[in-house]
Structures are given as structure tokens and as C-alpha cells.
């Protein structure tokens, strides 16, 4: 159902996790929820109108529609996507990586959970990508275009802070700030600007995603109590509270309802 391709360009490997495309087969519409993630996603689309209404972000097939792009902001709640036979390619960026491809900081570029991206350089690249119908050739064209769209390396202090948040989930934010050479206030300000949330909120997402990884990829078949304490939650009530904030579901309900799907084992909830 999901095609997943890793970038081959040495430059892009630093900034992009993968490119994706949902396959419709006999289905005319795919509806699903996505959950908070580390980085951000950009979707290039063709022959489709984008709309966002009542919490549903939709691409509806329309032969005469112009090419378009949407980008996700730093969402901390589930967002619903609805695709109606819309040709599209997703670009999944690593944390902070989106800032390497735009002059505008991420939080200014994408202040909402999902929004249309009106950037002429990116629209020109989208036109180049969809000039062919072969997915493999589209990815080759996209990699070439992204190398041209690259502007600058993002702030290294943010990358260092992210690495510390991943490696040491209990380290105080003030200590992380000192280790990257900033005051805590400067770290919070710049982190919000580049990532779209505070370091504390990002750490919640780290715990959440680590728990998903442990559940879906571990061969130990961990129960909920083990998942709770192995991933930095204080106790069961804290575990449940944090999961409900990020998913709208308790941990038990989440793992019962949201199996990994596709080659990349993405935790989507199909509806």
C-alpha cells in the first residue's frame, strides 16, 4: 500500500528520511490519521485540490487542478488525511532538516498543522517531478530538484540539542542549553523557531516515538508496564496522560487500533 524509497544523494541522506507514495489499487479513497513525528512532511500533488475543513485535510482528484504542495507544521495531536485518487509524493524530512531548504524559519513557514506551500521555486520543482509518470523517474527528478533547492546547513546548535533530547530523555533543558552554548531562554526561542515547538514538547514526542518503536520493532513482546518504564515515563498515569495528549487514545487503545502498515511500518490509523 505504501511505496517507500530512501534518498540516494549523499547530500539528501543527511536531511531526508524517505520519499513515500500511497498506492490506491482498487480503493478510490484512503482516509487515515497520522501522529506526532520528529520532523516534517511535504507532499507534492497533481490533478488535485487541497482543502482543510473540520479537521480533515483532503486531496480531491480534479483533472484541471494546478500542481500544488502542502506542508505539515509541528503538530502535537493526530491529524486526519483524506486522499481521493490524488497523485502525490511525500518527502519526510529529519528534525531541523526542513530549514536547509528555505530561507524562512520552519515555524514561520508552517504555523498550522497542515497548510498549502506557495513557493515558486518549489512549484517549479514539482512541475519537473510530474513531467514523467514513472515513480522511479519522479524520485530521480525530485532528488535533482532538492539538491538545487538546498540553501544552507541548519543551525548546528539545534541539531546538538535534538541529539541530546534523543540520547538523554531525562537531562534538564538548562543542561542541554549549556552543552550547546546557549542560555535556556535562547535555546527555547531558537528551538521554537526552527522546530515549531519547545524542547520539552519535543521530548514528549521522543518518548512517544520511542515507545512506538519498542512496541513495533522489539522482539521482546513488551507489555504496557515495560513500555512505560523503559521509555522514561514516571508511572502508568503519566504514560496514559501523555499518550492521550498526543494520540487522543490510551496506550492500550492506541496499540490495539494502530498497527504498523506498509514497508516502512508507519503507524497510521486507517478509517
Amino acid at each position: 500500500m505504501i511505496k517507500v524509497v530512501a534518498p540516494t544523494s549523499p547530500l539528501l541522506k543527511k536531511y531526508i528520511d524517505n520519499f513515500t507514495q500511497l498506492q490506491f489499487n482498487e480503493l478510490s479513497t484512503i482516509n487515515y490519521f497520522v501522529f506526532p513525528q520528529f520532523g516534517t512532511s511535504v507532499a507534492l500533488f497533481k490533478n488535485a485540490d487541497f482543502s482543510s475543513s473540520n479537521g480533515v485535510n483532503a486531496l480531491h482528484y480534479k483533472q484541471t487542478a494546478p500542481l500544488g504542495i502542502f506542508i505539515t507544521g509541528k503538530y502535537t495531536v493526530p491529524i486526519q488525511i483524506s486522499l481521493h485518487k490524488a497523485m502525490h509524493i511525500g518527502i519526510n524530512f529529519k528534525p531541523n532538516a526542513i530549514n536547509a531548504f528555505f530561507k524562512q524559519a520552519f515555524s514561520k513557514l508552517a504555523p498550522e498543522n497542515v497548510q498549502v506551500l506557495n513557493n515558486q521555486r518549489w512549484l517549479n520543482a514539482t512541475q519537473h517531478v510530474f513531467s514523467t509518470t514513472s515513480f522511479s523517474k519522479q524520485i530521480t527528478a525530485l532528488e535533482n530538484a532538492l539538491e538545487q533547492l538546498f540553501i544552507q546547513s541548519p543551525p548546528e546548535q539545534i541539531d546538538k540539542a535534538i541529539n541530546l533530547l534523543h540520547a538523554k530523555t531525562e537531562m534538564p533543558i538548562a543542561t542541554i542549553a549549556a552543552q550547546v552554548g546557549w542560555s535556556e531562554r535562547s535555546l527555547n526561542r531558537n528551538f521554537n523557531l526552527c522546530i515549531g515547538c519547545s524542547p520539552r514538547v519535543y521530548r514528549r514526542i521522543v518518548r512517544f516515538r520511542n515507545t512506538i518503536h519498542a512496541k513495533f520493532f522489539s522482539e521482546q513482546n513488551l507489555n504496557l508496564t515495560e513500555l512505560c518504564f523503559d521509555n522514561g515515563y514516571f508511572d502508568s498515569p503519566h504514560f496514559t496522560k501523555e499518550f492521550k495528549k498526543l494520540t487522543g487514545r490510551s496506550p492500550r487503545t492506541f496499540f490495539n487500533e494502530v498497527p504498523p502498515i506498509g514497508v516502512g511500518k508507519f503507524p497510521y490509523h486507517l478509517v
Side-chain angles (χ1 to χ4, degrees):
M1 182 173 288
I2 304 176
K3 281 187 178 180
V4 183
V5 178
T8 58
S9 160
L11 172 66
L12 299 181
K13 285 179 180 179
K14 299 177 183 178
Y15 300 105
I16 295 172
D17 280 325
N18 51 57
F19 307 106
T20 60
Q21 186 180 67
L22 282 171
Q23 302 298 296
F24 285 87
N25 298 324
E26 73 279 1
L27 296 176
S28 60
T29 301
I30 297 176
N31 293 298
Y32 60 98
F33 284 94
V34 293
F35 300 94
Q37 59 177 332
F38 300 135
T40 189
S41 298
V42 171
L44 317 180
F45 56 88
K46 177 183 179 182
N47 300 138
D49 275 337
F50 174 78
S51 65
S52 183
S53 178
N54 298 321
V56 180
N57 303 280
L59 284 178
H60 296 270
Y61 174 80
K62 184 178 180 182
Q63 180 67 39
T64 58
L67 298 172
I69 308 167
F70 74 75
I71 180 172
T72 62
K74 179 51 71 181
Y75 55 94
T76 56
V77 295
I79 59 175
Q80 186 173 355
I81 306 292
S82 181
L83 304 176
H84 304 264
K85 281 194 173 179
M87 182 183 297
H88 76 289
I89 296 174
I91 310 168
N92 296 309
F93 288 89
K94 296 180 179 182
N96 197 30
I98 193 73
N99 294 294
F101 297 87
F102 294 91
K103 293 180 179 179
Q104 193 175 19
F106 173 62
S107 63
K108 305 293 184 183
L109 182 72
E112 307 297 332
N113 286 345
V114 183
Q115 53 263 292
V116 169
L117 178 64
N118 291 311
N119 180 294
Q120 194 56 53
R121 293 178 70 234
W122 275 74
L123 288 169
N124 291 342
T126 302
Q127 184 173 23
H128 182 57
V129 168
F130 286 124
S131 63
T132 179
T133 57
S134 163
F135 181 63
S136 61
K137 290 181 179 179
Q138 288 173 344
I139 296 302
T140 299
L142 180 54
E143 290 210 43
N144 292 336
L146 285 167
E147 288 184 331
Q148 297 301 312
L149 289 167
F150 178 82
I151 295 175
Q152 61 191 357
S153 298
E156 64 177 13
Q157 295 94 333
I158 299 297
D159 285 333
K160 289 179 180 178
I162 287 170
N163 288 339
L164 287 170
L165 287 165
H166 279 268
K168 302 180 179 181
T169 57
E170 300 307 317
M171 179 179 284
I173 301 301
T175 304
I176 291 174
Q179 292 206 12
V180 305
W182 279 342
S183 67
E184 185 174 358
R185 182 176 180 181
S186 292
L187 175 61
N188 276 304
R189 183 179 66 252
N190 287 291
F191 203 94
N192 270 288
L193 192 64
C194 293
I195 305 302
C197 68
S198 70
R200 284 181 173 81
V201 170
Y202 186 85
R203 181 153 55 193
R204 285 170 47 201
I205 297 173
V206 170
R207 288 193 185 114
F208 167 64
R209 283 287 169 177
N210 285 349
T211 305
I212 289 176
H213 188 274
K215 180 65 175 178
F216 288 157
F217 291 91
S218 173
E219 297 179 355
Q220 299 177 356
N221 193 26
L222 301 176
N223 61 37
L224 291 179
T225 300
E226 292 167 327
L227 288 171
C228 169
F229 291 109
D230 285 359
N231 291 286
Y233 295 100
F234 305 134
D235 51 30
S236 181
H238 180 223
F239 187 33
T240 299
K241 181 180 178 181
E242 290 294 296
F243 253 70
K244 284 187 175 180
K245 281 182 180 178
L246 295 173
T247 71
R249 300 161 172 82
S250 69
R252 185 178 303 280
T253 301
F254 178 84
F255 287 118
N256 284 340
E257 291 184 353
V258 189
I261 63 172
V263 176
K265 295 190 175 180
F266 294 96
Y268 292 158
H269 180 213
L270 296 175
V271 295

